[in-house]
């Protein structure tokens, strides 16, 4: 576009691209609406990019109609150069319009139409999303999730809109409630049979718990972990990876490790690892298992599962350095705190010891290698003279 000689004041100061919807902020500088909204909302900045002056939290973006008409005229004049005329943008919604829309949603039929309109408005622009967030729309949507059937079309619609709003940290904390009231509503949603509702509930939960206070994180009920494990077991699209991230985040807090173990997390993770070939998914599963094996209940569950030790060992040197390190950490926890004579013998028979020796001969990362060496030294008396270990590996067996 440079060779067409674009007037400089037609370009957005942030992106240096032709403005499509010029708006002016309180400092008097004009930007393209999409660019300044991205700066203010997605980037979480609160200053004017050009002047660096602070902008108010409820910064008004005033349409610059004169500049927009000039740009449209310029586009028309330069149509022969392949420049398309920019359309006149729709004005963003305001709080009064949203309040009127919500006030009319008094019957089930009107409520459905209201939700459809809210979804359309949210999809049109970031400005509409922020206006909905600043109004009572979030409270309205949350009340639907809390009161209607989770698998109903209205329930799914309300959940999807809430998630699509990409609420700010302050709004997420307000939505969660002082005692996590809305978390309980989402647990109820996760108990329904509808995969779509459960996926949206998990996505919302992740956003809410990422900004939750520690007091809430340590008081989460076992019921939540039960439902998270069910989503993991059912391998719900979009839900499984989010659940793994949630477990990585939540399990270190308080007694959450024990709650997750009681919910059946260890068994489900082992079963999923058996057939998992995705690198990132394997890494996250091993991260969760590593955390769970820091408690006696977690180690006991892993050892009780017929494939527990075998699948952890199998992932060493086959996935990534991260996976090898996490697997070695799990085996070290078993070796230090749960190594009965039967377990020590099982590790030998399953080839775990041979895999640990192999780690010392390969480039699997210094941390993983150090853990393998520590395990081998711990049980050298039982393993070093065993005929189960190949002579080629015995040469690398640490002497302690």
């Amino acid at each position: 576009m440079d060779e067409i000689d674009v007037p400089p004041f037609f370009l957005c100061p942030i992106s240096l691209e032709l403005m499509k919807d010029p708006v002016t902020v309180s400092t008097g500088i004009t930007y393209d609406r999409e660019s300044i909204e991205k700066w203010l909302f997605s980037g979480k900045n609160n200053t004017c990019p050009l002047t660096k002056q602070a902008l108010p939290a409820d910064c008004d973006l005033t349409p610059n109609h004169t500049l927009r008409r000039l740009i449209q005229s310029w586009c028309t004049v330069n149509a022969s150069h392949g420049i398309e005329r920019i359309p006149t943008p729709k004005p963003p919604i305001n709080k009064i319009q949203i309040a009127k829309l919500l006030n009319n949603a008094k019957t089930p039929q009107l409520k459905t139409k209201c939700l459809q309109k809210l979804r359309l408005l949210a999809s049109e622009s970031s400005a509409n999303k922020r206006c909905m967030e600043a109004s009572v729309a979030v409270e309205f949507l949350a009340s639907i999730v809390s009161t209607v059937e989770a698998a109903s079309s209205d329930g799914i619609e309300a959940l999807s809109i809430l998630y699509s709003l990409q609420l700010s940290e302050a709004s997420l904390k307000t939505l969660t409630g002082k005692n996590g009231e809305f978390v309980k509503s989402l647990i109820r949603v996760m108990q329904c049979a509808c995969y779509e509702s459960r996926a949206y509930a998990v996505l919302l939960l992740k956003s809410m718990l990422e900004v939750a206070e520690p007091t809430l994180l340590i008081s989460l009920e076992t019921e939540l972990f039960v439902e998270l494990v069910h989503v993991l077991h059912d391998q719900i699209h979009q839900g499984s990876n989010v659940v793994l991230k949630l477990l990585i985040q939540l399990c270190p807090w308080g007694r959450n490790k024990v709650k997750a173990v009681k919910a059946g997390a260890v068994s489900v993770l082992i079963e999923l690892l058996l057939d998992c070939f995705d690198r990132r998914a394997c890494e996250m599963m091993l991260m969760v298992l590593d955390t769970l094996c820091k408690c006696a209940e977690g180690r006991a569950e892993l050892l009780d599962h017929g494939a527990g030790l075998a699948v952890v060992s199998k992932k060493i040197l086959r996935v990534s350095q991260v996976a090898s390190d996490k697997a070695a950490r799990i085996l070290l926890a078993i070796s230090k705190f749960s190594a009965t004579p039967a377990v020590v013998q099982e590790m030998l028979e399953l080839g775990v010891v041979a895999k640990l020796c192999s780690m010392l001969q390969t480039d699997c990362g210094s941390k993983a290698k150090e853990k393998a060496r520590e395990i081998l030294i711990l049980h050298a008396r039982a393993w070093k003279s065993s005929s189960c270990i190949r002579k080629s590996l015995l040469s690398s067996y640490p002497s302690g």
Side-chain angles (χ1 to χ4, degrees), residues 356-368:
L356 293 170
C357 289
S358 296
M359 289 177 72
L360 300 183
Q361 297 180 338
T362 57
D363 182 20
C364 62
S366 58
K367 291 182 179 179

Side-chain angles (χ1 to χ4, degrees), residues 64-312:
N64 189 330
H65 296 299
T66 302
L67 182 57
R68 175 175 52 76
R69 292 190 189 102
L70 284 171
I71 293 172
Q72 287 176 324
S73 297
W74 178 85
C75 289
T76 302
V77 170
N78 288 277
S80 60
H81 296 285
I83 304 298
E84 295 183 5
R85 185 179 184 276
I86 61 171
T88 301
K90 285 185 180 180
I93 196 83
N94 58 51
K95 291 182 183 180
I96 296 174
Q97 291 170 305
I98 291 178
K100 185 178 179 181
L101 178 63
L102 299 181
N103 190 51
N104 291 333
K106 294 177 180 177
T107 67
Q109 186 177 3
L110 291 174
K111 187 181 290 183
T112 299
K113 288 184 178 179
C114 175
L115 286 168
Q116 291 169 348
K117 180 64 175 176
L118 288 174
R119 175 169 52 81
L120 180 62
L121 289 169
S123 67
E124 286 178 352
S125 69
S126 297
N128 284 354
K129 289 179 181 179
R130 298 288 73 80
C131 185
M132 288 167 65
E133 179 179 351
S135 69
V136 293
V138 173
E139 185 180 336
F140 169 76
L141 294 166
S143 69
I144 292 177
V145 174
S146 301
T147 56
V148 306
E149 175 62 39
S152 69
S153 57
D154 283 356
I156 296 171
E157 192 81 280
L159 278 165
S160 67
I161 297 169
L162 268 177
Y163 176 67
S164 72
L165 290 179
Q166 298 177 309
L167 299 172
S168 64
E169 181 175 333
S171 294
L172 285 169
K173 286 183 175 180
T174 301
L175 178 64
T176 305
K178 277 189 177 181
N179 300 310
E181 292 90 353
F182 195 63
V183 173
K184 296 172 185 175
S185 295
L186 293 179
I187 293 174
R188 182 179 61 83
V189 171
M190 292 166 65
Q191 290 169 338
C192 77
C194 175
Y195 275 27
E196 192 174 1
S197 294
R198 293 165 72 192
Y200 279 124
V202 167
L203 289 165
L204 258 177
L205 263 174
K206 182 176 183 295
S207 298
M208 291 162 59
L209 295 178
E210 279 178 342
V211 300
E213 298 296 330
T215 50
L216 175 60
L217 297 180
I218 63 176
S219 61
L220 294 170
E221 298 176 4
T222 302
E223 189 179 23
L224 169 63
F225 292 92
V226 169
E227 297 310 321
L228 289 176
V229 171
H230 284 166
V231 171
L232 198 58
H233 175 270
D234 294 340
Q235 298 186 61
I236 294 176
H237 178 63
Q238 284 192 310
S240 296
N241 281 351
V242 176
V243 167
L244 289 171
K245 291 175 184 176
L246 264 173
L247 291 173
I248 291 169
Q249 175 197 346
L250 298 178
C251 285
W253 291 91
R255 288 183 56 79
N256 287 347
K257 289 188 285 290
V258 178
K259 295 172 188 175
V261 172
K262 287 182 178 178
V266 173
S267 177
V268 169
L269 287 166
I270 291 169
E271 295 294 333
L272 292 175
L273 270 171
L274 285 168
D275 300 312
C276 182
F277 301 99
D278 179 78
R279 180 185 63 81
R280 184 56 183 153
C282 281
E283 288 175 352
M284 288 194 292
M285 289 179 200
L286 288 167
M287 285 178 193
V288 179
L289 276 177
D290 173 33
T291 302
L292 299 183
C293 283
K294 288 176 182 174
C295 68
E297 293 86 348
R299 296 191 296 273
E301 285 294 315
L302 184 132
L303 292 172
D304 283 345
H305 194 292
L309 285 172
V311 74
V312 171

Side-chain angles (χ1 to χ4, degrees), residues 295-339:
C295 68
E297 293 86 348
R299 296 191 296 273
E301 285 294 315
L302 184 132
L303 292 172
D304 283 345
H305 194 292
L309 285 172
V311 74
V312 171
S313 173
K314 182 182 177 183
K315 296 304 176 184
I316 293 175
L317 303 179
R318 290 194 178 187
V319 181
S320 66
Q321 283 197 1
V322 172
S324 294
D325 180 60
K326 296 303 175 185
R329 284 172 64 100
I330 294 167
L331 295 174
L332 180 58
I334 297 293
S335 298
K336 276 186 172 182
F337 307 112
S338 304

